[in-house]
Amino acid sequence: QVRLVESGGGLVQAGGSLRLSCAASGAISNINTMGWYRRQAPGKERELVATITRADNPNYADAVKGRFTISRDNAANTVYLQMDSLKPEDTAVYYCYAPGTDALSVYWGRGTQVTVSS
């Protein structure tokens, strides 16, 4: 099992910045890619924000390209999401995500709330 724990959410004004962190523990060898999804409203599906492979290859959703930066520290088993130029529509619960290398497992954190006021 892999445990993912997020931190760094909060309330910020539009145009501001926040940095999210996600620390992985447990069976780390079972994961390669790590990333972030978000759910903008209850009942709405989670959407991809960004992912990054262990080799530091990032992938971003179009909605956040140029504003968000994903990075990782493999030694610390931690992935980060630097969010700049935040918009009210970025308000969401952000979930850390890691698909298992077995192509069957998917690990999720509990989520951290990000609220951007206008």
Side-chain angles (χ1 to χ4, degrees):
Q1 279 291 339
V2 175
R3 183 173 182 233
L4 304 175
V5 178
E6 304 100 335
S7 60
L11 173 64
V12 65
Q13 287 189 330
S17 298
L18 279 175
R19 189 190 195 209
L20 305 183
S21 300
C22 171
S25 61
I28 302 300
S29 60
N30 290 354
I31 61 175
N32 178 345
T33 295
M34 295 181 70
W36 297 90
Y37 273 67
R38 68 186 182 186
R39 179 178 281 130
Q40 292 174 302
K44 195 173 178 182
E45 283 195 11
R46 280 185 280 212
E47 62 177 20
L48 173 70
V49 176
T51 60
I52 187 168
T53 66
R54 188 175 290 275
D56 277 341
N57 294 314
N59 178 54
Y60 296 96
D62 288 343
V64 306
K65 277 181 184 175
R67 300 187 299 120
F68 291 11
T69 303
I70 190 169
S71 61
R72 66 189 289 169
D73 180 343
N74 289 328
N77 298 313
T78 300
V79 64
Y80 304 97
L81 186 68
Q82 177 66 40
M83 305 185 293
D84 299 318
S85 301
L86 282 160
K87 304 175 181 179
E89 52 263 44
D90 294 317
T91 295
V93 179
Y94 284 72
Y95 297 90
C96 187
Y97 153 85
T101 53
D102 62 1
L104 296 173
S105 307
V106 180
Y107 304 101
W108 294 97
R110 290 191 172 186
T112 185
Q113 177 71 45
V114 171
T115 303
V116 184
S117 63
S118 56

